[in-house]
Amino acid sequence: MLGPVRLHGVTVRLRPPAFGDFAEWQRIRVRDRDCLEPFWFRSPLTWEQRHTATRWVRECLTARAEARAGRRVSTVLEIDGRFAGQLELVGIDSGAAELSVWVDAELARRGAGGLAGSLLLDFGFGTLGLERITAPIAVTNAGARRAVRQRWTMEAVMTGYFDVGSGRVDHELWSVTSDRIPPGGFAADWLDGYLTTHPTPESPPESPGSTTGAPISRRTVLRARTRYCLGRMRHIADPLRAGTAGTARAEQGSMTLRRWRTGDFRSRRAARIRARPLLAPTAQPEDWTRLHTRREWWRARASSRMGLGGKHGAVLVIEEAGRYIGECRLFDRDMFDRNVRAAVWVSPEAPPEIAVSAVRLLITHATERLGIWRVALTVPSTDHAGAAIALDAGLRHEGTLHHYRGADGELTDHELWAFSTARTTAACLPGTGEEHP
């Protein structure tokens, strides 16, 4: 539980979601459909079908499972004991996470949502030790930019990032980082700024009476648990998890992308040791060499068998004229969409055109074979050669990520490059934004 904190006479706190929150969750979200649905992930179900008791139970079960795995912090917003929205940190990995917020439309401009978001930022940077928290904001939503006022920075515009109710839409990427934590924390900083500009409270809306705690039948919970378990089994069998089978060849030359083979240990070890200045520039040569044991190789290979569902993603070998000269990796598939991140390294001895061909072939493999819609690649801002490779491979430069931990583990500014299959996306409109679901 985070809080409670008093704001203009009301009590604000965050706590884990519960089955008993269903009635208020359903009532508010159905009522606020016009505010939420245009910016929520696309679904073949109607809005009402997406807000049943079974759906809420499954959402709670998913939140608990993701929390146990260390990938998510899920909370509900309570104002004077009344359910009033949800706030989450999702996709927690390597010191970074994404903030997701929706708040009761009748209460959204009364400060509680902003205060709750600041409490979650303090928890993320303090208790979890995060280095970076982001918030993608659809360029078509005129209201959400108000939610990212203090301490947030707009870093990039991501092409075709999310498939919302109106189609795939460009999103602005806003971030806040651990090197910019205000003295006393985000909640204190937010309260100070808000109370200065809003010295007196607005008249609160008439409360309909809280139904938080209303019971859900055991039969409904059992049915939801069963469907949840079956859904997890289908997710394990998702072809995108292990969809790196087969061989993809470049259109010219003798370069090939392929899966790891049992006999790749020695050639991979030699290639990575030669590429130390690229992969681990600050590591001592002897330390880097000692890392590449046969045990490390088998662990990496076992992890890669899980494909995009694994922690390290799907790995493909870059082979040129039979020589192991690098690797491509697709990882970090998001929750609802077909977006992935990519990392590519090629031996410094190889000509730049090999890296360009590898990136192009990886994008083709991801989009045409795996059905991915967007592939993003980050390059350190000082790596001009890497930026040239991304540009020549057909990726689009979208912005600069501050205080970002890249594939080499270095925490520094990175350039965001991406390829998107989206044919039409909304143009960036002045003064627009959203609270990302």
Side-chain angles (χ1 to χ4, degrees):
M1 181 185 298
L2 302 179
V5 178
R6 296 287 289 176
L7 173 65
H8 282 325
V10 301
T11 300
V12 177
R13 72 167 184 160
L14 295 173
R15 60 164 176 79
F19 292 162
D21 293 320
F22 162 66
E24 278 292 90
W25 171 79
Q26 182 192 54
R27 181 188 68 80
I28 294 170
R29 288 184 60 85
V30 170
R31 185 201 66 198
D32 291 348
R33 174 179 180 175
D34 291 344
C35 303
L36 296 171
E37 187 178 24
F39 313 108
W40 217 255
F41 64 93
R42 185 191 294 266
S43 171
L45 302 177
T46 66
W47 192 245
E48 287 74 18
Q49 288 172 336
R50 299 170 72 179
H51 293 87
T52 62
T54 299
R55 290 273 166 180
W56 175 246
V57 172
R58 289 176 63 184
E59 185 165 328
C60 290
L61 294 175
T62 300
R64 294 172 187 176
E66 290 287 291
R68 288 193 297 269
R71 292 189 294 262
R72 188 188 304 189
V73 175
S74 297
T75 70
V76 300
L77 169 62
E78 271 193 357
I79 301 177
D80 282 345
R82 172 187 167 190
F83 178 98
Q86 291 175 267
L87 294 90
E88 296 183 306
L89 291 174
V90 300
I92 300 173
D93 183 45
S94 300
E98 181 178 302
L99 178 65
S100 171
V101 178
W102 74 267
V103 177
D104 183 334
E106 293 184 350
L107 304 171
R109 298 189 182 184
R110 300 175 188 276
L115 175 57
S118 298
L119 288 171
L120 199 52
L121 290 181
D122 283 335
F123 180 80
F125 287 117
T127 303
L128 300 183
L130 297 179
E131 299 162 336
R132 175 180 166 86
I133 296 176
T134 58
I137 296 179
V139 299
T140 52
N141 187 338
R145 186 170 290 165
R146 291 187 295 270
V148 288
R149 48 185 78 174
Q150 294 165 317
R151 306 290 176 174
W152 289 84
T153 301
M154 205 277 277
E155 298 180 325
V157 177
M158 302 181 293
T159 306
Y161 178 73
F162 201 69
D163 193 22
V164 299
S166 57
R168 289 192 70 82
V169 174
D170 295 356
H171 277 62
E172 295 176 347
L173 180 66
W174 291 76
S175 80
V176 62
T177 52
S178 60
D179 61 334
R180 297 176 178 174
I181 298 175
F186 288 96
D189 180 71
W190 190 93
L191 272 172
D192 182 62
Y194 185 82
L195 294 177
T196 299
T197 56
H198 300 77
T200 58
E202 297 182 38
S203 299
E206 182 179 348
S207 174
S210 176
T211 56
T212 297
I216 296 179
S217 70
R218 292 183 178 180
R219 180 178 180 181
T220 297
V221 173
L222 178 61
R223 183 169 62 248
R225 287 185 183 275
T226 301
R227 291 182 178 178
Y228 171 79
C229 292
L230 291 175
R232 295 298 299 172
M233 293 174 65
R234 286 194 297 269
H235 180 65
I236 292 173
D238 187 341
L240 282 177
R241 293 176 63 88
T244 57
T247 300
R249 293 187 178 273
E251 296 181 358
Q252 57 184 358
S254 56
M255 195 203 75
T256 302
L257 295 188
R258 62 166 176 82
R259 293 182 298 170
W260 269 333
R261 296 171 184 160
T262 303
D264 279 333
F265 168 65
R266 293 183 182 277
S267 55
R268 176 181 182 267
R269 183 176 186 272
R272 286 181 63 84
I273 290 174
R274 289 195 302 270
R276 180 194 60 81
L278 176 67
L279 298 175
T282 61
Q284 294 298 317
E286 58 274 15
D287 294 336
W288 182 245
T289 299
R290 280 196 295 267
L291 287 175
H292 293 83
T293 63
R294 195 173 290 274
R295 176 179 293 182
E296 179 274 333
W297 153 246
W298 284 113
R299 284 178 176 174
R301 192 171 181 220
S303 176
S304 74
R305 289 183 179 276
M306 296 182 66
L308 292 178
K311 180 179 180 180
H312 301 290
V315 180
L316 292 170
V317 175
I318 305 173
E319 191 174 66
E320 198 273 330
R323 296 183 301 118
Y324 195 119
I325 62 169
E327 293 170 358
C328 298
R329 187 161 66 100
L330 295 172
F331 62 104
D332 197 22
R333 179 191 172 198
D334 62 15
M335 292 186 300
F336 304 115
D337 244 335
R338 293 179 179 263
N339 300 338
V340 297
R341 293 163 59 196
V344 179
W345 68 266
V346 176
S347 171
E349 303 167 358
E353 55 265 26
I354 292 294
V356 172
S357 296
V359 174
R360 288 176 177 169
L361 188 54
L362 180 67
I363 290 172
T364 300
H365 178 73
T367 56
E368 296 184 5
R369 187 179 181 85
L370 304 184
I372 297 298
W373 290 337
R374 174 185 160 86
V375 180
L377 182 72
T378 58
V379 178
S381 297
T382 55
D383 185 0
H384 303 300
I389 290 171
L391 180 63
D392 291 345
L395 277 69
R396 175 183 177 182
H397 182 248
E398 297 182 332
T400 301
L401 310 183
H402 174 69
H403 206 61
Y404 178 89
R405 192 172 296 280
D408 62 357
E410 185 178 359
L411 192 64
T412 185
D413 290 356
H414 282 66
E415 304 305 311
L416 177 63
W417 295 81
F419 176 88
S420 174
T421 61
R423 296 185 179 181
T424 57
T425 55
C428 185
L429 305 176
T432 62
E434 78 155 317
E435 289 182 338
H436 180 59

